[in-house]
Amino acid sequence: MSELVERVDERDRVLGVVERSEAIERHWLHRVATTVCRDPEGRILVHRRQEGVSRFPGQYNWLIGGAVEVGESYEEAAARELTEELGVRAPVRFVFKFLCDGLISPYWLGLHEAVVTEVLVPDPSEIAWHGWVSERELRDALGQWTFVADGVDAFRRYLARPAPGQSGRQCSSK
């Protein structure tokens, strides 16, 4: 079954509905929602993708997420992906979005945060391993493990974002 997404423009305005595979193949902008999962102590969830997945097999990531479905908000997609990939429900908070060049295709990436208190039940078809790490441990791991390149870009932007309450301009890699 094909995955339908909204094709959007450089200002994130909807142009129409397309198959995600076509958006990727033609390098059309679409939307992706991700979440930084933290535990109550502030540690960040890191996971390794399964070897058999179509995108970034065996690579590590610090974000949970996927395509925003037709008619869905970034926040709704982020919450849905938490349930699908980790088997948990948690409130997500929008942090920022940016136009990501993307290794396989450009897209708008909406980044969210969630504090996860439930026991994780990762989807074994997606996640091979997971663990909680401090921000410093994550910085170290980025230099040692093979991470999804788009996630590395997002991590740099996440660290550079203005503190809550300060004004800052939207990031764009284009």
PDB file of all heavy atoms in Angstrom, residues 91-108:
ATOM      1  N   PRO A  91       2.571  13.321  25.462  1.00  0.00           N
ATOM      2  CA  PRO A  91       2.345  14.626  24.837  1.00  0.00           C
ATOM      3  C   PRO A  91       3.620  15.096  24.135  1.00  0.00           C
ATOM      4  O   PRO A  91       4.717  14.960  24.678  1.00  0.00           O
ATOM      5  CB  PRO A  91       2.019  15.553  26.016  1.00  0.00           C
ATOM      6  CG  PRO A  91       1.798  14.675  27.199  1.00  0.00           C
ATOM      7  CD  PRO A  91       2.451  13.362  26.914  1.00  0.00           C
ATOM      8  N   VAL A  92       3.470  15.605  22.921  1.00  0.00           N
ATOM      9  CA  VAL A  92       4.611  16.146  22.188  1.00  0.00           C
ATOM     10  C   VAL A  92       4.510  17.665  22.169  1.00  0.00           C
ATOM     11  O   VAL A  92       3.417  18.225  22.129  1.00  0.00           O
ATOM     12  CB  VAL A  92       4.702  15.588  20.748  1.00  0.00           C
ATOM     13  CG1 VAL A  92       4.905  14.088  20.758  1.00  0.00           C
ATOM     14  CG2 VAL A  92       3.489  15.960  19.929  1.00  0.00           C
ATOM     15  N   ARG A  93       5.679  18.305  22.226  1.00  0.00           N
ATOM     16  CA  ARG A  93       5.746  19.773  22.186  1.00  0.00           C
ATOM     17  C   ARG A  93       6.573  20.179  20.976  1.00  0.00           C
ATOM     18  O   ARG A  93       7.708  19.737  20.823  1.00  0.00           O
ATOM     19  CB  ARG A  93       6.397  20.306  23.468  1.00  0.00           C
ATOM     20  CG  ARG A  93       6.478  21.824  23.530  1.00  0.00           C
ATOM     21  CD  ARG A  93       7.166  22.303  24.799  1.00  0.00           C
ATOM     22  NE  ARG A  93       8.570  21.948  24.861  1.00  0.00           N
ATOM     23  CZ  ARG A  93       9.553  22.616  24.255  1.00  0.00           C
ATOM     24  NH1 ARG A  93       9.283  23.679  23.522  1.00  0.00           N
ATOM     25  NH2 ARG A  93      10.808  22.225  24.380  1.00  0.00           N
ATOM     26  N   PHE A  94       5.977  20.997  20.111  1.00  0.00           N
ATOM     27  CA  PHE A  94       6.678  21.478  18.928  1.00  0.00           C
ATOM     28  C   PHE A  94       7.856  22.350  19.359  1.00  0.00           C
ATOM     29  O   PHE A  94       7.716  23.199  20.239  1.00  0.00           O
ATOM     30  CB  PHE A  94       5.713  22.286  18.050  1.00  0.00           C
ATOM     31  CG  PHE A  94       6.338  22.808  16.797  1.00  0.00           C
ATOM     32  CD1 PHE A  94       6.476  22.000  15.682  1.00  0.00           C
ATOM     33  CD2 PHE A  94       6.783  24.116  16.723  1.00  0.00           C
ATOM     34  CE1 PHE A  94       7.050  22.480  14.511  1.00  0.00           C
ATOM     35  CE2 PHE A  94       7.358  24.607  15.566  1.00  0.00           C
ATOM     36  CZ  PHE A  94       7.500  23.795  14.457  1.00  0.00           C
ATOM     37  N   VAL A  95       9.021  22.127  18.761  1.00  0.00           N
ATOM     38  CA  VAL A  95      10.213  22.907  19.068  1.00  0.00           C
ATOM     39  C   VAL A  95      10.543  23.844  17.910  1.00  0.00           C
ATOM     40  O   VAL A  95      10.645  25.053  18.093  1.00  0.00           O
ATOM     41  CB  VAL A  95      11.422  21.997  19.396  1.00  0.00           C
ATOM     42  CG1 VAL A  95      12.661  22.817  19.706  1.00  0.00           C
ATOM     43  CG2 VAL A  95      11.091  21.067  20.565  1.00  0.00           C
ATOM     44  N   PHE A  96      10.720  23.298  16.708  1.00  0.00           N
ATOM     45  CA  PHE A  96      10.971  24.107  15.519  1.00  0.00           C
ATOM     46  C   PHE A  96      10.820  23.238  14.275  1.00  0.00           C
ATOM     47  O   PHE A  96      10.714  22.015  14.372  1.00  0.00           O
ATOM     48  CB  PHE A  96      12.360  24.769  15.548  1.00  0.00           C
ATOM     49  CG  PHE A  96      13.530  23.815  15.544  1.00  0.00           C
ATOM     50  CD1 PHE A  96      14.063  23.322  14.363  1.00  0.00           C
ATOM     51  CD2 PHE A  96      14.124  23.412  16.747  1.00  0.00           C
ATOM     52  CE1 PHE A  96      15.148  22.450  14.360  1.00  0.00           C
ATOM     53  CE2 PHE A  96      15.206  22.546  16.758  1.00  0.00           C
ATOM     54  CZ  PHE A  96      15.718  22.067  15.560  1.00  0.00           C
ATOM     55  N   LYS A  97      10.813  23.884  13.124  1.00  0.00           N
ATOM     56  CA  LYS A  97      10.854  23.154  11.863  1.00  0.00           C
ATOM     57  C   LYS A  97      11.875  23.843  10.975  1.00  0.00           C
ATOM     58  O   LYS A  97      12.186  25.025  11.143  1.00  0.00           O
ATOM     59  CB  LYS A  97       9.488  23.062  11.186  1.00  0.00           C
ATOM     60  CG  LYS A  97       8.968  24.347  10.607  1.00  0.00           C
ATOM     61  CD  LYS A  97       7.635  24.120   9.911  1.00  0.00           C
ATOM     62  CE  LYS A  97       7.103  25.439   9.373  1.00  0.00           C
ATOM     63  NZ  LYS A  97       5.850  25.257   8.646  1.00  0.00           N
ATOM     64  N   PHE A  98      12.415  23.057  10.048  1.00  0.00           N
ATOM     65  CA  PHE A  98      13.358  23.632   9.095  1.00  0.00           C
ATOM     66  C   PHE A  98      13.295  22.870   7.787  1.00  0.00           C
ATOM     67  O   PHE A  98      12.843  21.728   7.735  1.00  0.00           O
ATOM     68  CB  PHE A  98      14.786  23.676   9.652  1.00  0.00           C
ATOM     69  CG  PHE A  98      15.450  22.328   9.830  1.00  0.00           C
ATOM     70  CD1 PHE A  98      16.312  21.820   8.865  1.00  0.00           C
ATOM     71  CD2 PHE A  98      15.236  21.574  10.984  1.00  0.00           C
ATOM     72  CE1 PHE A  98      16.937  20.588   9.040  1.00  0.00           C
ATOM     73  CE2 PHE A  98      15.866  20.352  11.164  1.00  0.00           C
ATOM     74  CZ  PHE A  98      16.718  19.858  10.184  1.00  0.00           C
ATOM     75  N   LEU A  99      13.742  23.534   6.747  1.00  0.00           N
ATOM     76  CA  LEU A  99      13.799  22.932   5.432  1.00  0.00           C
ATOM     77  C   LEU A  99      15.083  22.123   5.359  1.00  0.00           C
ATOM     78  O   LEU A  99      16.176  22.671   5.367  1.00  0.00           O
ATOM     79  CB  LEU A  99      13.772  24.031   4.369  1.00  0.00           C
ATOM     80  CG  LEU A  99      13.584  23.615   2.921  1.00  0.00           C
ATOM     81  CD1 LEU A  99      12.357  22.744   2.737  1.00  0.00           C
ATOM     82  CD2 LEU A  99      13.480  24.852   2.052  1.00  0.00           C
ATOM     83  N   CYS A 100      14.939  20.808   5.349  1.00  0.00           N
ATOM     84  CA  CYS A 100      16.068  19.888   5.387  1.00  0.00           C
ATOM     85  C   CYS A 100      16.404  19.444   3.963  1.00  0.00           C
ATOM     86  O   CYS A 100      15.512  19.000   3.236  1.00  0.00           O
ATOM     87  CB  CYS A 100      15.696  18.684   6.248  1.00  0.00           C
ATOM     88  SG  CYS A 100      17.010  17.472   6.437  1.00  0.00           S
ATOM     89  N   ASP A 101      17.663  19.572   3.587  1.00  0.00           N
ATOM     90  CA  ASP A 101      18.072  19.111   2.255  1.00  0.00           C
ATOM     91  C   ASP A 101      17.829  17.616   2.112  1.00  0.00           C
ATOM     92  O   ASP A 101      17.462  17.147   1.052  1.00  0.00           O
ATOM     93  CB  ASP A 101      19.544  19.422   2.001  1.00  0.00           C
ATOM     94  CG  ASP A 101      19.773  20.881   1.650  1.00  0.00           C
ATOM     95  OD1 ASP A 101      18.865  21.521   1.092  1.00  0.00           O
ATOM     96  OD2 ASP A 101      20.867  21.385   1.944  1.00  0.00           O
ATOM     97  N   GLY A 102      18.020  16.878   3.165  1.00  0.00           N
ATOM     98  CA  GLY A 102      17.743  15.450   3.166  1.00  0.00           C
ATOM     99  C   GLY A 102      18.693  14.652   2.301  1.00  0.00           C
ATOM    100  O   GLY A 102      19.006  15.045   1.180  1.00  0.00           O
ATOM    101  N   LEU A 103      19.165  13.553   2.829  1.00  0.00           N
ATOM    102  CA  LEU A 103      20.091  12.702   2.097  1.00  0.00           C
ATOM    103  C   LEU A 103      19.427  12.058   0.883  1.00  0.00           C
ATOM    104  O   LEU A 103      20.027  11.938  -0.174  1.00  0.00           O
ATOM    105  CB  LEU A 103      20.657  11.628   3.032  1.00  0.00           C
ATOM    106  CG  LEU A 103      21.829  10.830   2.504  1.00  0.00           C
ATOM    107  CD1 LEU A 103      23.017  11.744   2.203  1.00  0.00           C
ATOM    108  CD2 LEU A 103      22.242   9.770   3.505  1.00  0.00           C
ATOM    109  N   ILE A 104      18.136  11.670   1.027  1.00  0.00           N
ATOM    110  CA  ILE A 104      17.463  11.014  -0.092  1.00  0.00           C
ATOM    111  C   ILE A 104      16.471  11.931  -0.807  1.00  0.00           C
ATOM    112  O   ILE A 104      16.072  11.648  -1.919  1.00  0.00           O
ATOM    113  CB  ILE A 104      16.766   9.705   0.340  1.00  0.00           C
ATOM    114  CG1 ILE A 104      15.715   9.963   1.407  1.00  0.00           C
ATOM    115  CG2 ILE A 104      17.779   8.680   0.792  1.00  0.00           C
ATOM    116  CD1 ILE A 104      14.871   8.754   1.742  1.00  0.00           C
ATOM    117  N   SER A 105      16.071  13.028  -0.151  1.00  0.00           N
ATOM    118  CA  SER A 105      15.115  13.957  -0.742  1.00  0.00           C
ATOM    119  C   SER A 105      14.942  15.137   0.209  1.00  0.00           C
ATOM    120  O   SER A 105      15.063  14.968   1.420  1.00  0.00           O
ATOM    121  CB  SER A 105      13.766  13.250  -0.931  1.00  0.00           C
ATOM    122  OG  SER A 105      12.776  14.148  -1.360  1.00  0.00           O
ATOM    123  N   PRO A 106      14.639  16.325  -0.307  1.00  0.00           N
ATOM    124  CA  PRO A 106      14.386  17.456   0.595  1.00  0.00           C
ATOM    125  C   PRO A 106      13.002  17.336   1.246  1.00  0.00           C
ATOM    126  O   PRO A 106      12.088  16.746   0.665  1.00  0.00           O
ATOM    127  CB  PRO A 106      14.457  18.658  -0.336  1.00  0.00           C
ATOM    128  CG  PRO A 106      14.031  18.128  -1.668  1.00  0.00           C
ATOM    129  CD  PRO A 106      14.537  16.706  -1.714  1.00  0.00           C
ATOM    130  N   TYR A 107      12.869  17.900   2.439  1.00  0.00           N
ATOM    131  CA  TYR A 107      11.584  17.879   3.147  1.00  0.00           C
ATOM    132  C   TYR A 107      11.602  18.907   4.274  1.00  0.00           C
ATOM    133  O   TYR A 107      12.654  19.371   4.701  1.00  0.00           O
ATOM    134  CB  TYR A 107      11.278  16.484   3.710  1.00  0.00           C
ATOM    135  CG  TYR A 107      12.345  15.929   4.633  1.00  0.00           C
ATOM    136  CD1 TYR A 107      12.283  16.151   6.005  1.00  0.00           C
ATOM    137  CD2 TYR A 107      13.412  15.183   4.145  1.00  0.00           C
ATOM    138  CE1 TYR A 107      13.256  15.645   6.858  1.00  0.00           C
ATOM    139  CE2 TYR A 107      14.384  14.675   4.979  1.00  0.00           C
ATOM    140  CZ  TYR A 107      14.305  14.915   6.342  1.00  0.00           C
ATOM    141  OH  TYR A 107      15.274  14.420   7.182  1.00  0.00           O
ATOM    142  N   TRP A 108      10.420  19.250   4.731  1.00  0.00           N
ATOM    143  CA  TRP A 108      10.281  20.062   5.937  1.00  0.00           C
ATOM    144  C   TRP A 108      10.329  19.112   7.119  1.00  0.00           C
ATOM    145  O   TRP A 108       9.580  18.130   7.154  1.00  0.00           O
ATOM    146  CB  TRP A 108       8.947  20.815   5.940  1.00  0.00           C
ATOM    147  CG  TRP A 108       9.001  22.061   5.118  1.00  0.00           C
ATOM    148  CD1 TRP A 108       8.584  22.218   3.826  1.00  0.00           C
ATOM    149  CD2 TRP A 108       9.512  23.320   5.535  1.00  0.00           C
ATOM    150  NE1 TRP A 108       8.813  23.497   3.420  1.00  0.00           N
ATOM    151  CE2 TRP A 108       9.370  24.204   4.449  1.00  0.00           C
ATOM    152  CE3 TRP A 108      10.075  23.791   6.722  1.00  0.00           C
ATOM    153  CZ2 TRP A 108       9.775  25.542   4.511  1.00  0.00           C
ATOM    154  CZ3 TRP A 108      10.474  25.114   6.788  1.00  0.00           C
ATOM    155  CH2 TRP A 108      10.330  25.978   5.697  1.00  0.00           C
TER     156      TRP A 108
END
